[in-house]
Amino acid sequence: MMKAHQQRGRTHTSLPSLITLVAIVSPLASAVPSLTDDSKCECYLTNGTQASFFATHEFLDFRNLAEHAGIPPTITKPNDSGSAPVTSEYFTSKEWTEAFWVLSWNNSHQIREDATVLMVNSPNNVYIEANSDRNPSSQTWLTLRTQRLKDFQTASEIESVAPGFQYLSVRMLARTVGSPGAITALFTYRDADRLADVQESDLEVRTMDPRNTIQYTNQPSYTEEGEEIDHATKNVTLPPGHPDWTHWAVHRLDWTPKETVWYVDGTEVATISFQTPRDPSKVILNAWSDGGEWSGNMSVNDAAYLQIQWLEIVYNATDENPAKRKRNDSGVAAVMPRERDEDGEGGCDVVCSIDETPEPGKPVMLWNNGAMRMVGGGLVAWIPSLVTFGMLALISGGLW
Ligand SMILES: *[C@@H]1O[C@H](CO)[C@@H](O)[C@H](O)[C@H]1NC(C)=O
Ligand SMILES: *[C@@H]1O[C@H](CO)[C@@H](O)[C@H](O)[C@H]1NC(C)=O
Ligand SMILES: *[C@@H]1O[C@H](CO)[C@@H](O)[C@H](O)[C@H]1NC(C)=O
Ligand SMILES: *[C@@H]1O[C@H](CO)[C@@H](O)[C@H](O)[C@H]1NC(C)=O
Ligand SMILES: *[C@@H]1O[C@H](CO)[C@@H](O)[C@H](O)[C@H]1NC(C)=O
Ligand SMILES: *[C@@H]1O[C@H](CO)[C@@H](O)[C@H](O)[C@H]1NC(C)=O
Ligand SMILES: *[C@@H]1O[C@H](CO)[C@@H](O)[C@H](O)[C@H]1NC(C)=O
């Protein structure tokens, strides 16, 4: 009986035609997105509460830079610190210089009211370090160092070359280690003459705080008069089971038009919609202290470090639209002319993700409208019935 039905099923759907069907349908309706590369992606869709489309993706990988590794001895004179050169050729490489500046400003002119020490940002405190963990998860990482010396605090800051990020999702695999009295931070920043006009979304670790608390803020969180603006900032205790800031974790800051959302290892930990930055901004990371109330005081010779294995950003920028450029380079637009924005994806056909990927830095393709159109607009409408038909054929082939 069963055999007879099976035979009948087979006669209705020959094996070659079934394979053809699966071959056509599976790449289009695939549930597991496959690894691709940025040249194929026209935009990136993030997950989370403010899931958004972004035009561009950048990934800076500090995990395999053994040839540049070395811990430069701290420079103990303030003047020499500010004027120090970069610590290795990595910081003159195209990969780095297209993305970041290493800064050397100091607070002697614009000292915060409560600062008690001279703080000098030194290129000497930004370096590639060999991974000395017991079970190393990389060869190297990038270190931002700050250390208290007899006469001053030596500190570090890097700033994006691009001044015009306007909405982004930035992530880093990072940790903070070291002594109390310092701040390590990742933030968006738009300078202004008046404190009240500064726009800034912050992730700050205060090394004097408990290791499971992180401060998230849409600045300014205080007024010129020194009053605190409570709803601009959140002191978050990381959920139980989460690595504290001394352990490697993916810290993520999503700056979107509605609000800024922060995540640790994929779990949302804070959202602030008050004072969400509106205008084009830079991305900055630093490790510092000025002996003031916020950073605290470091004891002489104590140090703290922000260590980063990789840094990843998907973003829109105001100074150019790389998505358009890519689209033209790849010739996709020429093959498939199409109205922009018809589906609210900014005219983006090939949508990728940096969330669903098994390999940090490598996007996966979520879907490709272009491929569907290429096969023929009509096919899209047919996919459900083709799948149903295919499954029926499989069921009838396999069970009956
Ligand atoms: C985003 O997707 C990744 C991979 O599926 C997951 O680990 C993460 O928890 C997700 N994050 C959010 C906020 O949904
Ligand atoms: C540091 O440089 C400034 C000028 O930029 C100079 O006035 C000062 O004397 C220098 N300090 C030392 C200790 O060399
Ligand atoms: C601090 O910065 C000012 C202005 O840029 C510079 O003149 C001075 O030499 C710097 N001081 C130190 C100690 O680096
Ligand atoms: C954040 O909260 C913790 C207690 O949960 C406290 O010890 C710490 O001082 C607070 N940090 C700030 C900046 O308020
Ligand atoms: C930090 O130490 C200096 C002395 O080195 C002191 O004047 C200042 O009050 C201290 N600041 C804090 C916040 O403890
Ligand atoms: C796209 O690129 C071609 C050359 O590859 C160029 O001739 C054309 O002007 C470009 N179109 C746009 C819209 O930039
Ligand atoms: C980024 O730009 C694209 C294309 O213009 C747009 O569709 C998208 O909504 C923008 N993303 C955000 C978060 O504004």
Side-chain angles (χ1 to χ4, degrees):
M1 188 67 181
M2 272 182 106
K3 202 138 206 165
H5 276 280
Q6 209 170 46
Q7 298 279 334
R8 213 172 60 197
R10 284 267 163 80
T11 58
H12 282 292
T13 317
S14 70
L15 201 57
S17 75
L18 205 81
I19 288 170
T20 312
L21 184 72
V22 170
I24 293 173
V25 170
S26 58
L28 301 179
S30 165
V32 181
S34 55
L35 277 173
T36 183
D37 65 80
D38 289 318
S39 67
K40 309 237 168 38
C41 301
E42 291 183 20
C43 67
Y44 304 84
L45 175 60
T46 54
N47 65 3
T49 50
Q50 288 296 328
S52 304
F53 289 96
F54 294 100
T56 314
H57 173 220
E58 268 172 37
F59 185 71
L60 280 180
D61 195 347
F62 311 116
R63 293 173 297 177
N64 299 296
L65 299 171
E67 72 272 32
H68 299 298
I71 303 176
T74 304
I75 296 173
T76 55
K77 294 202 174 102
N79 280 4
D80 297 346
S81 293
S83 58
V86 293
T87 56
S88 79
E89 276 177 12
Y90 176 69
F91 300 101
T92 58
S93 71
K94 201 161 166 272
E95 174 175 74
W96 175 263
T97 56
E98 283 183 355
F100 281 100
W101 311 106
V102 180
L103 300 188
S104 63
W105 60 275
N106 65 69
N107 69 351
S108 64
H109 295 283
Q110 43 166 130
I111 200 155
R112 274 162 73 116
E113 269 143 59
D114 67 342
T116 60
V117 290
L118 169 66
M119 178 183 82
V120 181
N121 284 298
S122 173
N124 188 57
N125 292 326
V126 178
Y127 51 89
I128 302 298
E129 180 170 349
N131 188 328
S132 50
D133 291 353
R134 213 167 303 146
N135 297 303
S137 54
S138 71
Q139 277 184 37
T140 50
W141 60 65
L142 169 73
T143 298
L144 269 59
R145 170 174 65 190
T146 184
Q147 184 170 4
R148 181 64 184 265
L149 300 161
K150 197 167 120 301
D151 300 319
F152 74 113
Q153 180 86 24
T154 189
S156 50
E157 183 163 282
I158 61 172
E159 176 184 289
S160 64
V161 172
F165 293 97
Q166 194 168 29
Y167 307 120
L168 55 73
S169 175
V170 57
R171 300 103 185 269
M172 60 175 182
L173 175 59
R175 68 181 177 192
T176 295
V177 294
S179 304
I183 305 285
T184 64
L186 163 67
F187 55 107
T188 69
Y189 186 69
R190 183 179 179 84
D191 204 0
D193 290 337
R194 288 170 0 120
L195 171 66
D197 296 334
V198 164
Q199 298 179 41
E200 176 177 345
S201 283
D202 279 352
L203 178 174
E204 286 176 289
V205 166
R206 287 213 312 176
T207 59
M208 73 161 114
D209 274 355
R211 291 172 168 191
N212 62 345
T213 68
I214 299 184
Q215 195 78 24
Y216 300 106
T217 309
N218 281 346
Q219 297 284 3
S221 61
Y222 55 96
T223 65
E224 309 257 17
E225 291 74 42
E227 274 168 64
E228 293 189 5
I229 307 171
D230 287 342
H231 40 305
T233 189
K234 283 187 178 166
N235 175 355
V236 170
T237 300
L238 296 179
H242 262 276
D244 65 49
W245 44 253
T246 65
H247 290 98
W248 295 112
V250 177
H251 293 274
R252 168 175 166 190
L253 182 165
D254 282 17
W255 166 36
T256 73
K258 270 210 193 99
E259 56 195 7
T260 307
V261 189
W262 292 265
Y263 302 83
V264 175
D265 278 345
T267 301
E268 181 181 324
V269 290
T271 300
I272 300 176
S273 50
F274 177 70
Q275 272 177 184
T276 305
R278 302 171 305 277
D279 297 310
S281 301
K282 298 168 181 172
V283 170
I284 301 180
L285 295 98
N286 60 18
W288 62 278
S289 172
D290 62 5
E293 200 191 324
W294 176 246
S295 70
N297 250 335
M298 286 201 117
S299 304
V300 173
N301 292 326
D302 273 0
Y305 310 86
L306 173 58
Q307 299 173 336
I308 306 167
Q309 289 199 25
W310 52 255
L311 186 66
E312 182 166 41
I313 313 184
V314 284
Y315 63 92
N316 284 352
T318 48
D319 31 358
E320 61 164 344
N321 188 337
K324 260 187 208 156
R325 194 186 61 216
K326 247 188 228 159
R327 188 182 172 82
N328 192 23
D329 287 349
S330 65
V332 174
V335 180
M336 288 167 285
R338 142 158 226 243
E339 309 266 279
R340 293 189 78 81
D341 261 329
E342 69 186 29
D343 49 13
E345 291 155 24
C348 170
D349 277 333
V350 186
V351 181
C352 294
S353 166
I354 59 166
D355 295 309
E356 304 301 331
T357 183
E359 204 182 316
K362 276 256 179 204
V364 291
M365 195 178 291
L366 293 179
W367 68 83
N368 181 345
N369 289 336
M372 292 196 191
R373 252 186 307 285
M374 207 142 52
V375 176
L379 181 66
V380 175
W382 285 99
I383 286 177
S385 38
L386 283 173
V387 169
T388 312
F389 177 75
M391 273 162 55
L392 278 177
L394 278 171
I395 288 167
S396 61
L399 294 182
W400 294 345

